[in-house]
Structures are given as C-alpha cells and as structure tokens.
Amino acid sequence: MTNRLDTRFAELRKNNQAGFISFTVAGDPDLETSQKLLEALPAAGVDVIELGMPFTDPMADGPAIQAADLRALAGGMTLVKTLGMVQAFRKTNSTTPIVLMGYYNPIYSYGAEKFAHDAAAAGVDGLIIVDLPPEEDEEFRVPAQKAGMHVIRLTTPTTHDKRLPVVLSNSGGFLYYVSITGITGAATASEQQVQAAVSRLKQHSNLPVAVGFGIKDAAAAQTVARHADAVVVGSAIVQKVEANIPTKQDLVKNVCAYVENLSAAVHKARNKAAA
C-alpha cells in the first residue's frame, strides 16, 4: 500500500522543491469553519496537512496553539470529530497527505488499536505523538504501522548522535526537526543552524527532513526551504485564524491568502538559491 506522504515527497524531490506543511488545530475556531479551512488548504499550495488533535495540556506548544486547543475543546471538539473531519476531507481530496499531531492520553483512552484502525480508515497518513518516546511507543506504533500509517518522530538541537538511531528506528514518512529548544512559536533558528542540523540528520537517515517551530513569515520559510525537504508553519497560521475570528465569514479566505504567500516562498526557494 503506497502512503500519500511517500508519493508527495517523491514528487517534490523530482521537482527539486521543498514542501510546505501547514498546521492548524481541528475544530478551531469551530468545527464548520475548521472543516472549510482544511478543505481549502491544498489550493493554497499546502503539500502536507498537519492537523492538531486538541488536548488540554499541550506541553510542547506555545500560547497561540494552547489557546486554539482550548477554543476547539470549548466548542465540543473530540478525537472522534477530528477523524470525522479527515473522513469528510477525503470525499473530495484523495491525494493530499494528512498527518495528525497530538498527545498520547486521548489515544490511550480511545484505545491504540481502535484508533489506528479508525484513523487509517478515515484517510490519515502519518502520526506525530509528541509525548511518546520511541522506547515506549510499541503499543501505539505497531498497530499504526500495520494500518499503513507512518509514525513520524521529532528530533531537536539536543538530540545527540548516540540517541539518533533510537529515534530513527521505525520512523517513517519524514523526520521532524524541531529547530529550537523551546515551545512552538518562540525563537527562530539561524540559517546556519538549520543548514548544519539538516546536514547532520541526513548523515543518519534517508528520510526527508521537515523543519518547524519558530518560522513566522515567508522570508524565514524560504530561508529554511533552501536546506530542508519541507517547512512546517504552525503558530503563525493559528494566530491568523485567531485574528480573523471577529469577522469569521472571511476567515478561510484570509488565512488561505497568508498560507499561499508562505507556500509560494517555499516552492521558489531552490530556484532562488540557484539563481
């Protein structure tokens, strides 16, 4: 069974382009608007959709994503409804990869095997579980991989070479490099730091390397795209969602205009670097 993530990264390599990965929180600011935004993202140039599963204690996320999680949960968002969003998305889009990102507690409560079955059936391609270390993820990872989904692992500036083989073991889809030591939406890594980190990771793995955390605008995204296989932007997009809540009728249009600017910068990065 071919995974959509593998297909998309193969296409990007063929075109010598970095990919653009957007992050939004499922159900933020409400289920209906979130669904419309999800379905509009591919037309705005998004290569991979990362969809956050709302959680009450998202310890890796900064204030913007924490607030989005709380808005979604206050609106009645659940894990079942998040999978329902993916299922509805797949009725009109069979090619754009979707990665669910979140924390293990809700999945443990749902049941790891049942979650793996239901997520794959809904059309999910990969899973990032922030607080589940590789040494402890077998009960979740094995059923997820059997269902055809990639388990995507995080690395950070403090992940040393001795630990990398543990992180890389049973990883799939892509490797997510957290470019700063801290929470989402905080400081930004320099171009030299990103270049050195991507180069080091590629000495250990053939997986595509996606770089995220702290990327706030098109210029920063384009800089990272010169070195990474994909660029992840989360907090800045979530902040656009929040800023447009007072005029919700234009939220999807305005957020997608912002995303289109980011994705265009990422897709042009390699050509600009070669010019």
Side-chain angles (χ1 to χ4, degrees):
M1 181 167 56
T2 302
N3 186 291
R4 295 180 190 88
L5 282 169
D6 300 330
T7 301
R8 181 54 53 92
F9 276 106
E11 292 169 350
L12 290 165
R13 277 195 300 273
K14 184 179 178 182
N15 296 328
N16 190 32
Q17 282 186 323
F20 181 72
I21 303 176
S22 66
F23 174 89
T24 56
V25 174
D28 177 39
D30 58 65
L31 178 56
E32 181 183 1
T33 307
S34 185
Q35 184 75 48
K36 288 179 181 176
L37 179 58
L38 179 70
E39 293 173 1
L41 288 171
V46 171
D47 296 292
V48 177
I49 292 172
E50 189 180 326
L51 189 61
M53 297 178 281
F55 183 52
T56 51
D57 188 22
M59 68 285 285
D61 294 305
I65 295 177
Q66 289 179 20
D69 279 11
L70 294 178
R71 284 194 297 271
L73 291 169
M77 200 62 192
T78 65
L79 200 49
V80 172
K81 291 179 181 177
T82 300
L83 296 180
M85 285 184 64
V86 179
Q87 192 172 29
F89 176 85
R90 286 285 173 239
K91 291 179 180 176
T92 57
N93 187 310
S94 61
T95 58
T96 304
I98 291 186
V99 173
L100 294 183
M101 180 174 183
Y103 299 82
Y104 191 52
N105 196 322
I107 294 172
Y108 179 79
S109 298
Y110 191 100
E113 290 209 18
K114 178 173 170 44
F115 175 79
H117 173 272
D118 292 353
V124 174
D125 304 285
L127 299 157
I128 302 172
I129 307 302
V130 179
D131 57 350
L132 195 56
E135 295 88 342
E136 304 293 337
D137 73 357
E138 186 174 349
E139 71 173 16
F140 159 78
R141 174 179 50 77
V142 171
Q145 291 176 328
K146 280 184 179 176
M149 296 179 290
H150 285 307
V151 174
I152 297 155
R153 298 259 178 72
L154 302 167
T155 68
T156 73
T158 59
T159 306
H160 53 70
D161 286 351
K162 288 185 179 179
R163 180 160 174 75
L164 268 178
V166 177
V167 175
L168 292 169
S169 175
N170 297 308
S171 293
F174 60 88
L175 192 59
Y176 191 136
Y177 178 65
V178 176
S179 62
I180 58 169
T181 52
I183 55 176
T184 58
T188 303
S190 71
E191 180 172 3
Q192 291 75 19
Q193 289 171 325
V194 170
Q195 183 178 21
V198 172
S199 177
R200 182 172 77 91
L201 292 172
K202 284 186 172 295
Q203 292 174 18
H204 294 268
S205 173
N206 292 323
L207 286 173
V209 177
V211 175
F213 279 48
I215 301 167
K216 299 175 180 175
D217 55 38
Q222 189 167 72
T223 298
V224 172
R226 293 178 191 137
H227 308 288
D229 297 300
V231 178
V232 188
V233 178
S235 293
I237 296 174
V238 169
Q239 286 171 331
K240 285 291 176 187
V241 170
E242 182 178 22
N244 280 276
I245 289 175
T247 54
K248 198 183 293 183
Q249 68 274 13
D250 294 324
L251 186 149
V252 173
K253 180 183 70 174
N254 292 341
V255 173
C256 283
Y258 176 69
V259 168
E260 193 169 358
N261 185 43
L262 292 168
S263 64
V266 168
H267 292 151
K268 293 174 183 173
R270 303 282 172 81
N271 291 335
K272 185 169 182 176

